Amino acid sequence: MSEKRPFVTKKQVEKIVKTYPTPFHLYDERAIRENVRRVKKAFSWNHGYREYFAVKATPNPYILSILREEGCGADCASLTELMLSEAAGITGENIMFSSNDTPRGEFTKANELHAYINLDDYTMIDFLKEECGIPKTICCRYNPGGVYTVSNGIMDNPGDAKYGMTKPQIFDAYKKLQKLGAEEFGLHSFLVSNTVTNDYYPALARTLFTLAVELKQETGAKIKFVNLSGGVGVAYRPEQKENDIEAIGEGVRRAYEEILVPAGMGDVAIFTELGRFMLAPYGHLITRAIHEKHIYKEYIGVDACAVNLMRPAMYNAYHHITVLGKENALCDHKYDIVGSLCENNDKFAVDRELPEISIGDYLAIHDTGAHGFSMGYNYNGKLRSAELLLCEDGSIKQIRRAETPKDYFATFDFSDRFKFSE
């Protein structure tokens, strides 16, 4: 089994907690920047390439600013995500607005920012027209239905997904949008989440490139870009083989050369939305062991809970755990690592073999840089933790403070009990 090593040491954490108590999410700036550059290099063969980071993965303007400095755009799905992107200096065609069941007013904000608008459904055409008009460049989201497979088997079931248009609807949408004044088009699809295979993106590219050629031939539409969206995952488990982004980029290039170039579409830009791949490995949830319990199983209680990282409770997802300072110790104890919510699924690990854990030990829960803090909530009145950045120079910057009871009660006006002095 391969190893997962944390990017922070026990000594570093002991210094950090003197200022910022656990639990907290910690992000590695240097590694984030290096990964962005790897992704851009893998798709550098396409002159129009742009990565639109999925804001939902890590909605923090400090992180978005780092990505903007590295040339990334933002994939937004709500009004507040648009506002976050704008605050981080990301506007115009550097925003892809891919919403669904879109509330009134959100297309207006996207249009004001001159973002690309990606329509999830045919009925959204009239909704958009009524709200703010049809832009000259517009994108449509495709759902092929059925079961989606690649060379190593079944990946997912798009037919059960709520996203996107059927193939006939896409053709009708392009024709209707042309009549309403649209001049250039994009094509988008998201079919599978968190794949650990180099085959998915090239297979999806072939699906979308083929459809793009058909759309051009039947409707005469100018296809400006194809957005491959997300789905390229990370190796959460040590035994998994990581995706090779260079091989993935090369697979997409081959599909591009075989399908789009012969059709006279060699100027089509390629976009990606790799939220998880961009950030997940470069974040840790740092938590401290505060209790132990010995009943039918052995439990270690930590000061974090599912409020800080929902994925294990929601999806039964695996996140690797390192006991800091004991990286080389024998994993000869079996524990459930749990939080304090009044829910039995509030567990970061079940029957996990780890070194012996003592009260006060610090645990690094791996791969929380995406869909970690962002999925937090306030059940049981729990408060969300701080987010910290390990800067390139080794310093620590707080990029989001921890919530306080004042934050929790801020939307109440029930009585003076809920009013806090500054």
Side-chain angles (χ1 to χ4, degrees), residues 198-368:
N198 296 333
D199 295 335
Y200 168 61
Y201 242 29
L204 173 63
R206 289 182 179 278
T207 298
L208 291 182
F209 295 166
T210 300
L211 178 58
V213 172
E214 293 174 1
L215 283 163
K216 179 187 177 183
Q217 291 174 345
E218 180 168 326
T219 71
K222 166 65 178 176
I223 311 295
K224 184 173 183 178
F225 61 84
V226 171
N227 189 335
L228 300 176
S229 189
V232 177
V234 299
Y236 285 100
R237 294 178 178 272
E239 66 271 19
Q240 288 179 305
K241 185 177 180 180
E242 295 181 349
N243 281 320
D244 183 340
I245 196 64
E246 287 79 14
I248 290 170
E250 174 60 18
V252 174
R253 186 197 65 78
R254 288 197 297 269
Y256 190 98
E257 294 290 338
E258 293 171 15
I259 299 170
L260 290 182
V261 172
M265 300 173 68
D267 59 344
V268 172
I270 301 300
F271 297 162
T272 58
E273 298 170 350
L274 298 175
R276 192 186 310 268
F277 185 84
M278 299 291 284
L279 257 293
Y282 314 115
H284 294 334
L285 173 58
I286 305 298
T287 183
R288 183 173 177 266
I290 58 174
H291 291 291
E292 58 184 17
K293 185 172 183 176
H294 317 284
I295 49 172
Y296 306 105
K297 303 178 75 172
E298 294 295 303
Y299 294 92
I300 294 293
V302 296
D303 58 5
C305 63
V307 162
N308 308 109
L309 179 64
M310 186 194 289
R311 295 188 72 254
M314 187 173 185
Y315 304 120
N316 194 30
Y318 180 94
H319 279 263
H320 198 66
I321 296 175
T322 296
V323 184
L324 295 177
K326 300 181 179 180
E327 289 85 349
N328 298 316
L330 185 65
C331 294
D332 56 357
H333 286 63
K334 186 180 289 186
Y335 298 111
D336 282 15
I337 307 298
V338 303
S340 59
L341 289 186
C342 295
E343 291 289 343
N344 196 45
N345 65 354
D346 182 23
K347 299 179 178 182
F348 295 113
V350 175
D351 293 330
R352 186 74 60 86
E353 292 183 350
L354 293 164
E356 183 176 10
I357 298 175
S358 302
I359 301 302
D361 279 348
Y362 294 104
L363 281 62
I365 303 178
H366 291 246
D367 301 313
T368 69

Side-chain angles (χ1 to χ4, degrees), residues 385-401:
S385 62
E387 291 181 290
L388 309 178
L389 183 68
L390 174 60
C391 301
E392 288 187 288
D393 63 4
S395 64
I396 296 294
K397 177 189 292 185
Q398 180 177 259
I399 58 175
R400 190 194 303 264
R401 66 166 174 80

